[in-house]
Amino acid sequence: MPEKFKTVRKGLEQQYQDIKFIHDSSWSKIELEKAIAEHRSKNPDEAYIISKAWIFKLLCEKARIAIDEGDYFVDKLEHHNLMIILKNQRIRDKSIIEFKDSPASEPGVFGTVVDTSHTCPDWKNLLKYGFVGLRDRAMSKTGELAKAVSMVYDGVIALIKRYNEISPRQVLINLSEGPPQTFHEALQVAYLYNELQEMEGEEIRSMGRFDLLYNDLYLADLKAGRLTRDQAKELLKYFFIKFYAKTLGKRFGKPFLFGHDVNELSYLAFEVFQEMHIVDPKFHVRLSENTDKKFLTQVVECIKSGCTSIVIVNNDKQIDMLCENGKTREDAEDYILIGCYEPAVAGKEMNWSGGAFMNLAKAVELVLDADNYDSFDELMDAYIKELDVIFTKLADRSRRQELLWPEVNPAPLLSGTMDSCMEQGLDVSQGGAEYNTSGCICAGIANAVDSLMAIKQLVFEDKTCSIDELKIALEANWEGYEELRLTAIKRVPKWGNNDSRVDSIALRITDFLGERINNEPNARGGVFQAALYAISVTAQTFGADTGALPDGRLAGTSLTMNTGASPGLDKNGLTSLINSVTKIDLAQFPSGTVLDIMLHPSAVAGQEGTDAIISIIRSLFAKGGMAIQFNIFDADILRDAQKNPENYASLQVRVCGWNVRFNDLSIEEQNIFVAKAEMV
Amino acid sequence: MTGFYLNIKRFAVHDGPGIRTTIFLKGCPLKCKWCHNPESISPKAEVGFLNHKCIACGKCVELCPNTAHNFLNGKHLFDRSKCTQCGKCVEVCLPEALEYYGYKISVDKAVDLILEDKIFYDNSGGGATFSGGEPLLQAEFCAEVFKALRAEKIHCVIDTSGAVKWKNFETVLPYTNMFLYDLKHVDEKRHLQHVGGSNRLILENLERLSKCNIPIEIRIPVIPGFNMDIESINAIGETLSQLSNITTVQLLTYHDFGRSKFEALGKPNTMPKVKAPLVEQMSDLADKLEKFTLKIKY
Ligand code: SF4
Ligand code: SF4
């Protein structure tokens, strides 16, 4: 199969647009819906998990399928999102009743949801048992869950047989009889499972520790002469492109985890990733002190070439943190990242990490609105109290969301992979996983800290304005108060510059959050875990409902993402940013933190640049940093910098041996850097 | 003792090995036409004014004790001859149209500031660099800071134009791990014309320094019409090939960027308006220099 991929890449990218499903004796949407409605009216008392399993199996057996003869994998089933629609309906219906008197979310302040979008099956079991083995294990047990699990895996096996009838393949025959025995078969299991679990209604947000899971099969194939290295690359390209084809880069990417001990497959996968140059899937790396430097160099080269989605995590510190938070060391060592940055034990944890959010910046607004204060200490105490009030409400609502889960979306396919669920006969939605944690994402730290610092300095220290004047200015969204706003932006120290005046405020907040949130019981027998980051959706949604803030931010605009300084305000540079952020005891945030680093390609060019990035990662981790991701400025970002210079005040580019602020260049000069970035 | 500096740059990755903190000291004996940091030349404090950032709020006019700022027919005039660099106007200018160049820093403060990033130096083999301007005009300050840093095992670099008395080198030599040494031209006439000074001292110092058993990286700004021709490059190569301890030669590609800085200082823009050398031209020069058994970076 040499290099066929290149010629068919375009088509593969479009493989989920206008799929040509086969219209044979299989069923149309109307027929499927009719059968489902009939089944449910005939069995009104059936446990919901069984109904769901029945629907799942029906779709596998009856919905239309499609196969691309040129593809190495089969995966297409016309399920019309019926199970997801059903889930959403049930969530809506049950929520209306549950949250009638106490809303699940307060706009801008906090939000809670039934989190079905942060799950990861036990990939090890899937590869060890295969679909047949998981079905058989369930059949050997009794109870509702076991019944539901054997039904859904029966469905999967039936589906594989249907594919094989249309397009006979040894891979499919083998998988309909037992566990995967080759690299190709294992990838087929992974992708098909991914599709079917998402059909069931839970998003998979980790494909597991890829190099660890698949390397043995890959090496065995090589050794037996079943596969060459080039063929494996080709297979991987067909495999990875599916994740991109699914989202076209417009939704969350699918995370794959690598390291910290690397092997042949780690290198191979990164080589393929860099050659493909795609935004989805996402590759994450566990980095320990012993991780091969050669591998780290390959990862950094990949980042420099524009693969900026790579998150690198501090392996040893993550493990320690998980141990401190109730995991056995053995389990902690087998952690993965579910979603963006959230560590969880592979195959054993349902971490509900996207179930609850709170807005640290909005709390400043609420505190200012509530009262007048005679001193900054008084105001700061009130702010901390406000956070407590918000979290107390959030925890209550989030627990109630958890209790809805078994009712709205039991997950037999997912539960069937997990030992603990099968042993206890409990679905993941009922707390069947070994660890059942709940995340609380704390967003907007930079805005909160900078705002509090601005109040401290402008109102209480310099007396530039009174607290009432400040409130009036905020009320007016700074209109007519541009001077005060500029003073707040330019004359007040900012989070992320290693300045203890402002960093101490951050520490007070984070210490409180860690203390208050972690170990608060949730409703599935586990505990809440704090997270300190905000992905762009969170930052924007919360921002939309947050008024003007004392840090100079205008009403309705996005909050600052993640853990670092506000855009352009880390004027003391990268090392100071790291020095600030690592003052926080980041292990207080077991549901994740991340530091974003922005760099212009010219600033990290050549071997020196690669070495510098590696040293930055190593230094951050030595100081207790947990996770890092790099944003190498591409042309689009630089164009944005031309339009919104204030967001990029700290951006430097390199000119003839000198670093120059991008903003100080003339438009024509800037354009040259845009063009340079385009060439990368 | 205090130093007089222009700018402090952390996470500097091109001013010597590893990740470094570079302190740019103010004052330079040369006047290179292509200078990218003209605000580093004068040994005195200066106030820069960028007209396009001015929102005409009038605050500077109000505050200046010497009426250096004025508006005439809506145009902001800044009379530098009246300015005593008190800095009041810069403080109130929120749009940052006014900028202050030149601050004092004590030895202790400089040392503390540099030590903040120690872990980054340790992980990258980096350290501290004094650049400029010409740092060796403040050789004693550099030496004091380096002395304290060496006690903390921090790698210390001087980035010099070489255009200072040899005694200034001697002051820093015991505490310096490496020199970055600018070499623009070996032809004295050309040098005089474009750099505003003779190169005799520079070449002499370089020769002496090369006998001090300390690594030297040569830096050559490649300027079309000045030193890009074969004879100039060969002459440089020839000179360097006679010297020891030259670890590498770094070629810096000229761009006429940053012209606004001349304007900000009210100085005539002397940057040559020439096209930046192409990558191929740079690699060609590197090849030529390599013939003199030099290790080239560009
Ligand atoms: S203070 Fe600044 S913005 Fe205001 S008039 Fe003076 S230079 Fe212009
Ligand atoms: S620095 Fe002082 S003297 Fe100079 S222009 Fe500004 S206010 Fe006037």
Side-chain angles (χ1 to χ4, degrees), chain B residues 47 64-66 68-69 78 83-87 89:
Chain B
V47 173
C64 175
N66 302 317
H69 294 284
F78 178 26
C83 173
T84 55
Q85 292 86 36
C86 73
C89 61

Side-chain angles (χ1 to χ4, degrees), chain A residues 494-512:
Chain A
K494 294 287 180 291
W495 167 238
N497 290 285
N498 197 21
D499 186 326
S500 55
R501 286 171 294 173
V502 39
D503 293 356
S504 60
I505 296 178
L507 292 195
R508 169 119 196 248
I509 298 174
T510 53
D511 285 345
F512 169 77

Side-chain angles (χ1 to χ4, degrees), chain B residues 136-150:
Chain B
L136 290 183
L137 289 181
Q138 302 180 46
E140 272 164 38
F141 173 74
C142 295
E144 285 299 310
V145 173
F146 278 2
K147 205 195 275 179
L149 291 178
R150 291 292 291 269

Side-chain angles (χ1 to χ4, degrees), chain A residues 292-579:
Chain A
D292 209 336
K293 170 124 197 233
K294 192 174 133 217
F295 180 69
L296 181 55
T297 307
Q298 188 178 357
V299 171
V300 169
E301 292 296 343
C302 201
I303 291 171
K304 279 172 65 179
S305 77
C307 301
T308 51
S309 62
I310 298 172
V311 175
I312 301 172
V313 297
N314 187 347
N315 188 64
D316 307 351
K317 287 273 161 43
Q318 294 275 0
I319 292 172
D320 290 347
M321 176 175 75
L322 288 164
C323 288
E324 274 167 41
N325 284 281
K327 273 99 183 180
T328 67
R329 183 148 286 268
E330 196 193 340
D331 282 346
E333 279 172 2
D334 198 23
Y335 73 91
I336 49 170
L337 300 178
I338 295 190
C340 304
Y341 324 104
E342 305 94 292
V345 178
K348 293 187 174 181
E349 182 164 0
M350 283 302 305
N351 65 347
W352 191 268
S353 61
F357 312 77
M358 64 188 277
N359 182 348
L360 305 176
K362 179 83 178 179
V364 178
E365 185 186 324
L366 296 177
V367 163
L368 272 181
D369 286 350
D371 211 341
N372 276 324
Y373 305 90
D374 295 327
S375 70
F376 180 69
D377 287 346
E378 200 183 297
L379 182 138
M380 195 62 205
D381 290 345
Y383 174 76
I384 295 290
K385 221 177 264 160
E386 184 65 38
L387 293 182
D388 183 46
V389 170
I390 295 173
F391 176 70
T392 306
K393 275 196 264 187
L394 169 151
D396 168 63
R397 308 306 142 75
S398 185
R399 281 188 284 256
R400 284 152 64 176
Q401 298 277 19
E402 281 178 276
L403 293 173
L404 289 184
W405 192 13
E407 283 302 305
V408 296
N409 201 50
L413 192 74
L414 169 57
S415 301
T417 67
M418 291 192 177
D419 293 342
S420 145
C421 289
M422 296 312 291
E423 276 154 25
Q424 301 178 72
L426 287 177
D427 186 74
V428 286
S429 63
Q430 298 166 304
E434 195 147 333
Y435 300 104
N436 298 284
T437 41
S438 293
C440 171
I441 297 172
C442 303
I445 180 78
N447 299 107
V449 173
D450 289 349
S451 291
L452 290 164
M453 184 65 218
I455 299 172
K456 183 173 189 227
Q457 183 178 319
L458 300 179
V459 176
F460 295 105
E461 288 173 2
D462 297 356
K463 305 207 185 329
T464 312
C465 63
S466 72
I467 199 158
D468 286 324
E469 278 163 341
L470 179 64
K471 284 188 198 180
I472 294 167
L474 296 176
E475 190 58 42
N477 195 17
W478 293 108
E479 221 165 285
Y481 297 87
E482 192 55 21
E483 197 185 324
L484 187 57
R485 176 167 178 255
L486 279 176
T487 311
I489 296 175
K490 307 224 160 159
R491 296 292 186 260
V492 177
K494 294 287 180 291
W495 167 238
N497 290 285
N498 197 21
D499 186 326
S500 55
R501 286 171 294 173
V502 39
D503 293 356
S504 60
I505 296 178
L507 292 195
R508 169 119 196 248
I509 298 174
T510 53
D511 285 345
F512 169 77
L513 292 171
E515 185 68 27
R516 176 69 185 88
I517 296 173
N518 296 326
N519 298 319
E520 166 91 8
N522 67 8
R524 287 171 293 133
V527 291
F528 281 90
Q529 302 192 130
L532 191 68
Y533 65 85
I535 59 169
S536 59
V537 210
T538 316
Q540 282 162 17
T541 331
F542 270 156
D545 287 311
T546 304
L549 288 174
D551 66 349
R553 180 190 148 281
L554 296 173
T557 58
S558 174
L559 300 180
T560 297
M561 284 168 62
N562 295 337
T563 317
S566 279
L569 296 181
D570 50 338
K571 289 199 178 166
N572 274 350
L574 193 46
T575 53
S576 298
L577 175 65
I578 290 174
N579 285 336

